[in-house]
Amino acid sequence: MTSRLFAEITGTDSGHDPILLLHSLGLDHTMWRSCAPYLAAGRRLIIVDLPDHGRSPAGADTGAGLLALLDAAGAARAHAVGVSLGGNEALALAARAPERVRSVTASGSFAFLDDTERVARLEATVTRAAELGMAAFADAYIAGTLDAEAREKDGHRLREVLAGTPPEAYAAAARRCFATDLRPLLPAVRCPVLLLVGEHDTRTPRSSAEGIAAGLTHAEIQEIPGAGHLANVDEPRRFTAALQTFWDTDRPANVTG
């Protein structure tokens, strides 16, 4: 039996395909609060807590859980939008169930990390969180990730989410995230894909997006000016505008129709 993932459903059911919003490592559905007002006017939003995050159970099957959410919402298909970990999961879902995904937008994501990079990421996250404790780790993460305006607007709320995450849940999610290898899955992604890169993102720079695009048939890369790793938080209006332009461009839904 599939463990049910938590999702907040909001917005307007105007006949458009809904948007499945997937958050980054260590955060939860609330990281979409800045973007949601711009997106919810014309579409339904299914804003998810991924396994080991927020109100969702630990160790759940992410793909099965996301499909169950679409079924429960009566959504035949959706635009999948994710940041960092969430972008990786959006791409994996599109490979697993191409008929259910209208398009994918992945921001600050990657296809694969070699052994050196994977160890470095784990040391910078899991090891550091264990040494500092989650509260101090959250302080450092917010200070080093968001720009000044986003820290003022969203920093306290997101800091509380990360600080309140159980260390074992964060460690489990981080290990799964950094072990990601999308390369075998990317050829099965049939829908259009938008890869967003924050102008100042040093964690997943343009080369990370290019690594994903190399395995895809329908992909475009776009930079979000002024943004860092969490482009949807740093620049919610620019992030949302990129999505709207992408969706409004006339493309096939996928090769199966």
Side-chain angles (χ1 to χ4, degrees):
M1 180 178 293
T2 300
S3 297
R4 185 69 178 268
L5 299 181
F6 172 83
E8 179 182 276
I9 300 179
T10 186
T12 303
D13 187 358
S14 58
H16 293 294
D17 293 320
I19 308 167
L20 189 68
L21 294 171
L22 308 177
H23 60 79
S24 64
L25 176 65
L27 299 180
D28 67 2
H29 70 283
T30 63
M31 80 169 292
W32 293 102
R33 291 269 170 87
S34 295
C35 278
Y38 305 114
L39 293 171
R43 297 180 187 267
R44 222 170 6 145
L45 309 181
I46 304 170
I47 316 175
V48 181
D49 282 352
L50 293 168
D52 292 299
H53 295 81
R55 302 186 210 175
S56 286
D61 182 325
T62 303
L66 294 176
L67 292 174
L69 286 174
L70 294 183
D71 290 341
R77 61 185 184 179
H79 295 279
V81 179
V83 172
S84 192
L85 166 64
N88 295 349
E89 296 293 1
L91 288 162
L93 181 66
R96 176 175 183 161
E99 74 284 356
R100 305 299 300 274
V101 180
R102 176 68 178 84
S103 74
V104 169
T105 300
S107 176
S109 299
F110 59 87
F112 169 76
L113 299 176
D114 63 27
D115 289 343
T116 300
E117 180 67 11
R118 183 166 59 254
V119 169
R121 298 274 185 116
L122 286 171
E123 288 179 353
T125 53
V126 175
T127 302
R128 193 173 186 213
E131 291 173 349
L132 295 177
M134 291 304 295
F137 177 72
D139 289 335
Y141 178 83
I142 294 301
T145 302
L146 300 182
D147 66 20
E149 184 176 349
R151 286 198 303 273
E152 179 68 24
K153 182 178 179 182
D154 297 299
H156 177 74
R157 173 171 48 80
L158 297 181
R159 183 263 177 205
E160 291 302 302
V161 171
L162 183 53
T165 300
E168 61 276 11
Y170 179 76
R175 290 190 179 98
R176 284 200 307 273
C177 176
F178 299 141
T180 293
D181 187 354
L182 295 175
R183 294 174 298 176
L185 302 180
L186 293 176
V189 176
R190 302 172 184 176
C191 63
V193 176
L194 175 63
L195 301 170
L196 296 178
V197 180
E199 178 186 9
H200 305 302
D201 186 359
T202 58
R203 297 175 193 175
T204 46
R206 187 180 182 92
S207 59
S208 297
E210 290 169 346
I212 297 173
L216 295 169
T217 303
H218 308 287
E220 58 186 270
I221 300 174
Q222 183 175 333
E223 183 178 280
I224 302 296
H229 184 57
L230 304 184
N232 65 315
V233 181
D234 281 338
E235 294 289 341
R237 292 192 182 189
R238 286 174 170 165
F239 187 94
T240 305
L243 296 181
Q244 298 287 5
T245 299
F246 177 57
W247 295 331
D248 289 345
T249 301
D250 186 21
R251 299 182 181 89
N254 54 51
V255 296
T256 65

